[in-house]
Amino acid sequence: MEQTQIKKRILFLATIAIAFFCSGYAQLPLYLDDNQPIEERVKNALNRMTLEEKVKLCIAQSKFSSHGVPRLGIPELWMSDGPHGVREEIEWNTWKRAQWTNDSCTAFPALTCLAATWSPEMSAIYGKAIGEEARYREKDVLLGPGVNIYRTPLNGRNFEYIGEDPYLASVLVVPYIQELQKNGVAACVKHFALNNQELWRGHIDVHLSDRALHEIYLPAFKAAAQQGGSWTIMGAYNKVRGEHACHNDLLLNKILKEEWGFDGAVITDWGGAHDTDEAVFNGLDIEMGTYTDGLARESEFTYDDYYLAAPYLKGLKEGKYPISTLDDKASRILRLIFRTAMNRHKPCGSFASEEHFEVARKISEDGIVLLKNSSVSTKQPALLPLQGEKYERILVVGENATRAQTQGGGSSELKVKREVSPLEGLKARYGDKINYAQGYKAGRPHYGRVEEIPQEITDSLRADAVEKAKDAEVVIFVGGLNKNHQQDAEAGDRITYDLPFGQNELIRELLAVNKNVIVVLVSGNAVAMPWVQEVPAILQAWYSGSEAGNALANIISGDVTPSGKLPFSFPVKLTDNGAHTFDYMSYPGDSIRQEYKEDILVGYRWHDTKKIPALFPFGHGLSYTSFAYSQITADKKQLNSPEDKIKVSVTVTNTGPVKGKEVVQLYIGDERSSFARPLKELKRLP
């Protein structure tokens, strides 16, 4: 721990001790007694604070902490990036790694993988485990989960979100938040709202209809606030209808705080504030930033220059800003502190434990999606599961078989205690039957640029893989995307729907010498598959965290039957996606303004309604067993009002040779609506 942090901890403990010794425990100030009602504690603390102390609550004091009130024994808030693991420690006032030796975490699967489980139970287990890790690390706020809707497969940050459907995202985000916060760690649901691309994310002005806003892009945030009870929400970088989302009157005041009754604190994305007047009046509570170290002049903009710092204090003293604006912000922040940093009833937590690795493996197994499974001839069974006793020579090809997928990607990058690669997992399962060829090279993660690979290296790697494939009985190609810039990474969108690094060409060359090819896609996004008809088996394996390799090996071998379902559609080609059907103003915009021209027809709603078949549709996922649906009944044929309900029941029977799980999906359509509606919409899970 850095000296500055140690000093602050000592100061806090000393203040508490003074309060005890001077007034006695029986006269302990009400705000320090967490057995008292939280609203009484908030009022009591607020009445004891100076104007300056209230203002300080609203701004950062370091890269990942905001001020407390040392004089009153009220501690600062400590935050950490998520949502797939607790980020390693960085220095107090820089983005350099602190080089601690005890901050190597569990990497949980990316949220696209969690979404593919379609399981609220898995979401609850996920939230509990990551909450325990954050609590152990003494974090008060975990910056996640993300629930921005998957609008385009080019969005570099889709892997952090929960898919394209607002109902599925709503159902899954609630148990994550509830179990996380039982650890005394606040969820910070992000990015509110409409942060659906990384290109020009800091200023692109999103325009859309009220129906699209409320039917597609806000429901998961609403569920997080009202059902999940999230204690914080993070604003988005982009603008919405002319105002930055981090201080947006429509989103933060009218919808979040007034309509939804949100009593928590709104936190900026780092550097997401742009104007003091808007920050004061338009719903922002805590301003975090990236541009200053607060000591040396990393920039001309230091902590005291934050929009809610000295400019706010000056305006309050001059009467420009009502004190009521400050009291509301300070009350929300105190409420957050009392729920987290000053909560004496929270558990101790645990960190990088075997139990957490098991959680990561189980979620990964349940999230892996079997997209296709056939045989190379009618006389042979489906290629998967790959039974070890039938094969002696198994070739694994692809850099993603060995690449650490917790590196890169932006703020979700993790320092992990364990990360089992696909190759390691397959070797543990099949032993010396496994041979490996890299096949292609992607380069190391870079933030903001792409590393060029010399052609002679590319040619050599490809030739080696193809030559080895000639002698193999089966080839497992592990490819896809990675966390490099302009792939699945923050601050940049993909520039093509195709697989990068010549993977399509490599797959075709492998098929030319060996028809038994299994393609394993490691990605958080859909990709084009021009070889889809020729490849007998395809698995979507996501970014699966610490136990990625073991989970994949269990699925490929048949030790676990795949049950994952796609949380977003895979279009055949990019222009089959609704956002890309129109002109550039729909995506990516003109660098200033953007219009969501597909309106409410996002994802499968577009494919179904416009009769444009997806390559693999939303909800798709095969199994090694089979299921029969029978006794399907409904207690009525139609709904006559929004309050009307219908009871549907179905019997599902496993009719296949192995154990397996099935996800029952209930969709409804409105054939009598006078408004345009999608052909069908997901409305219920079991």
Side-chain angles (χ1 to χ4, degrees):
M1 185 178 290
E2 292 187 51
Q3 289 186 355
T4 308
Q5 293 174 261
I6 293 172
K7 289 178 181 178
K8 284 186 170 288
R9 298 284 183 183
I10 293 173
L11 178 60
F12 167 62
L13 293 173
T15 306
I16 293 292
I18 291 170
F20 269 76
F21 283 113
C22 292
S23 57
Y25 184 77
Q27 279 73 48
L28 191 67
L30 179 63
Y31 66 88
L32 290 176
D33 185 355
D34 61 0
N35 291 312
Q36 297 296 322
I38 195 167
E39 295 309 314
E40 293 300 318
R41 297 175 67 200
V42 169
K43 292 177 183 177
N44 185 267
L46 197 66
N47 289 335
R48 296 169 182 263
M49 291 170 61
T50 66
L51 189 70
E52 288 78 8
E53 288 170 338
K54 292 176 185 179
V55 170
K56 273 201 176 278
L57 284 180
C58 300
I59 62 167
Q61 65 171 2
S62 74
K63 293 302 185 196
F64 275 110
S65 68
S66 61
H67 291 274
V69 189
R71 180 180 65 86
L72 298 179
I74 298 173
E76 64 266 24
L77 285 166
W78 283 90
M79 307 174 193
S80 176
D81 272 322
H84 312 130
V86 185
R87 185 175 179 171
E88 71 176 298
E89 298 297 330
I90 65 169
E91 293 180 350
W92 175 269
N93 273 324
T94 79
W95 290 104
K96 296 179 181 178
R97 295 171 177 175
Q99 304 297 332
W100 288 17
T101 59
N102 62 349
D103 58 348
S104 297
C105 70
T106 304
F108 297 96
L111 290 189
T112 42
C113 183
L114 174 63
T117 70
W118 287 52
S119 171
E121 178 185 2
M122 285 293 104
S123 185
I125 293 170
Y126 194 125
K128 179 177 184 295
I130 199 171
E132 289 170 348
E133 299 233 338
R135 172 65 192 98
Y136 183 90
R137 290 271 299 279
E138 298 187 5
K139 304 304 179 185
D140 304 306
V141 181
L142 184 73
L143 305 177
V147 293
N148 292 104
I149 291 297
Y150 187 113
R151 177 177 181 251
T152 162
L154 298 189
N155 180 13
R157 219 164 177 181
N158 276 334
F159 71 97
E160 292 188 45
Y161 302 140
I162 312 182
E164 71 183 28
D165 183 73
Y167 176 78
L168 180 63
S170 298
V171 167
L172 295 183
V173 73
V174 169
Y176 181 115
I177 293 169
Q178 291 172 336
E179 293 301 318
L180 166 66
Q181 293 188 164
K182 286 179 182 178
N183 289 279
V185 177
C188 188
V189 182
K190 60 185 187 182
H191 304 89
F192 191 64
L194 301 166
N195 184 183
N196 303 310
Q197 66 187 60
E198 290 297 287
L199 181 62
W200 304 321
R201 66 176 181 172
H203 62 271
I204 193 72
D205 188 6
V206 177
H207 290 258
L208 75 171
S209 72
D210 284 341
R211 284 191 66 195
L213 179 66
H214 289 277
E215 291 184 24
I216 304 297
Y217 296 101
L218 292 188
F221 287 104
K222 183 177 182 180
Q226 294 188 329
Q227 299 172 45
S230 183
W231 293 336
T232 68
I233 281 181
M234 181 189 292
Y237 279 126
N238 50 280
K239 292 181 178 180
V240 177
R241 295 178 180 173
E243 289 183 339
H244 276 96
C246 281
H247 33 68
N248 186 291
D249 183 53
L250 172 65
L251 292 178
L252 302 181
N253 286 337
K254 293 184 172 62
I255 294 176
L256 179 64
K257 293 182 175 179
E258 295 173 16
E259 181 181 337
W260 296 350
F262 177 68
D263 71 352
V266 174
I267 302 174
T268 63
D269 206 336
W270 270 229
H274 299 271
D275 180 85
T276 297
D277 287 356
E278 290 187 7
V280 169
F281 292 111
N282 289 359
L284 177 61
D285 299 309
I286 300 177
E287 180 184 358
M288 303 298 293
T290 62
Y291 16 64
T292 175
D293 62 12
L295 298 173
R297 298 191 71 82
E298 183 183 44
S299 74
E300 294 300 315
F301 198 85
T302 62
Y303 288 117
D304 286 342
D305 296 318
Y306 276 29
Y307 297 102
L308 286 180
Y312 189 19
L313 180 62
K314 181 175 183 292
L316 287 162
K317 289 181 175 180
E318 293 175 350
K320 179 180 180 181
Y321 304 127
I323 298 296
S324 59
T325 62
L326 179 61
D327 284 347
D328 180 67
K329 298 178 194 300
S331 295
R332 291 174 180 274
I333 299 165
L334 288 169
R335 190 178 295 120
L336 174 60
I337 293 173
F338 295 155
R339 285 168 166 168
T340 58
M342 292 185 71
N343 177 2
R344 290 188 295 112
H345 303 290
K346 57 191 175 185
C348 294
S350 57
F351 192 63
S353 65
E354 289 301 319
E355 291 79 8
H356 288 175
F357 291 129
E358 184 178 350
V359 167
R361 177 186 56 77
K362 181 61 176 171
I363 293 169
S364 178
E365 290 171 351
D366 281 17
I368 292 174
V369 181
L370 179 59
L371 295 176
K372 182 182 179 182
N373 192 24
S374 60
S375 61
V376 294
S377 75
T378 56
K379 297 180 181 180
Q380 296 178 345
L383 190 52
L384 290 172
L386 200 65
Q387 297 174 352
E389 61 272 15
K390 290 185 178 181
Y391 299 95
E392 294 297 324
R393 301 184 307 281
I394 302 171
L395 177 65
V396 177
V397 177
E399 188 183 76
N400 276 358
T402 61
R403 189 184 184 94
Q405 298 292 1
T406 54
Q407 300 300 302
S411 61
S412 64
E413 181 175 81
L414 297 173
K415 175 183 174 183
V416 297
K417 183 177 181 180
R418 177 195 300 173
E419 184 175 2
V420 180
S421 71
L423 182 61
E424 290 170 332
L426 290 166
K427 281 186 173 181
R429 181 64 178 78
Y430 295 101
D432 58 8
K433 296 178 180 181
I434 296 289
N435 192 13
Y436 175 66
Q438 184 172 332
Y440 70 90
K441 184 175 177 61
R444 294 299 93 192
H446 285 281
Y447 193 84
R449 66 184 181 89
V450 180
E451 183 179 2
E452 294 292 334
I453 305 300
Q455 187 63 44
E456 58 268 24
I457 293 179
T458 298
D459 293 342
S460 175
L461 291 173
R462 183 181 299 178
D464 177 61
V466 173
E467 187 62 30
K468 288 177 178 177
K470 293 177 182 178
D471 185 54
E473 294 172 286
V474 63
V475 176
I476 303 174
F477 177 80
V478 186
L481 306 177
N482 59 40
K483 301 293 187 64
N484 277 2
H485 181 58
Q486 293 181 332
Q487 293 192 56
D488 285 328
E490 183 179 0
D493 281 355
R494 296 167 64 192
I495 58 176
T496 176
Y497 186 46
D498 288 318
L499 287 174
F501 318 121
Q503 291 179 76
N504 286 335
E505 294 79 3
L506 175 56
I507 291 171
R508 289 198 181 281
E509 291 189 29
L510 293 171
L511 286 165
V513 300
N514 193 322
K515 298 299 182 185
N516 286 331
V517 175
I518 301 164
V519 170
V520 178
L521 294 171
V522 177
S523 75
N525 258 312
V527 298
M529 302 184 201
W531 32 260
V532 67
Q533 299 301 323
E534 303 162 60
V535 172
I538 307 171
L539 284 164
Q540 176 64 36
W542 316 109
Y543 300 115
S544 293
S546 285
E547 287 288 298
N550 290 333
L552 179 63
N554 287 343
I555 293 290
I556 286 180
S557 67
D559 289 348
V560 175
T561 299
S563 60
K565 307 293 182 184
L566 287 179
F568 52 79
S569 308
F570 278 54
V572 176
K573 57 185 184 298
L574 191 59
T575 52
D576 288 348
N577 171 272
H580 293 271
T581 300
F582 303 93
D583 60 17
Y584 68 93
M585 287 302 296
S586 180
Y587 178 88
D590 63 359
S591 83
I592 303 298
R593 179 186 171 98
Q594 182 181 29
E595 301 169 3
Y596 284 15
K597 295 188 176 184
E598 76 280 15
D599 199 45
I600 61 171
L601 299 182
V602 176
Y604 71 89
R605 289 166 168 80
W606 176 266
H607 288 283
D608 291 348
T609 307
K610 298 296 184 179
K611 295 181 172 55
I612 302 172
L615 178 63
F616 294 107
F618 173 83
H620 172 76
L622 304 177
S623 174
Y624 296 153
T625 189
S626 56
F627 298 94
Y629 285 58
S630 62
Q631 298 178 321
I632 303 173
T633 62
D635 62 356
K636 59 185 71 173
K637 293 184 178 181
Q638 65 184 32
L639 302 177
N640 298 312
S641 72
E643 293 76 28
D644 204 1
K645 295 182 179 180
I646 183 170
K647 182 179 180 180
V648 179
S649 63
V650 59
T651 299
V652 181
T653 306
N654 185 341
T655 59
V658 296
K659 292 181 179 179
K661 295 190 295 187
E662 174 71 330
V663 177
V664 179
Q665 308 167 29
L666 176 64
Y667 297 82
I668 68 169
D670 189 345
E671 297 178 346
R672 302 189 302 168
S673 176
S674 58
F675 294 95
R677 299 296 311 167
L679 182 67
K680 70 176 189 291
E681 298 175 272
L682 179 68
K683 288 298 180 182
R684 190 68 61 199
L685 299 179

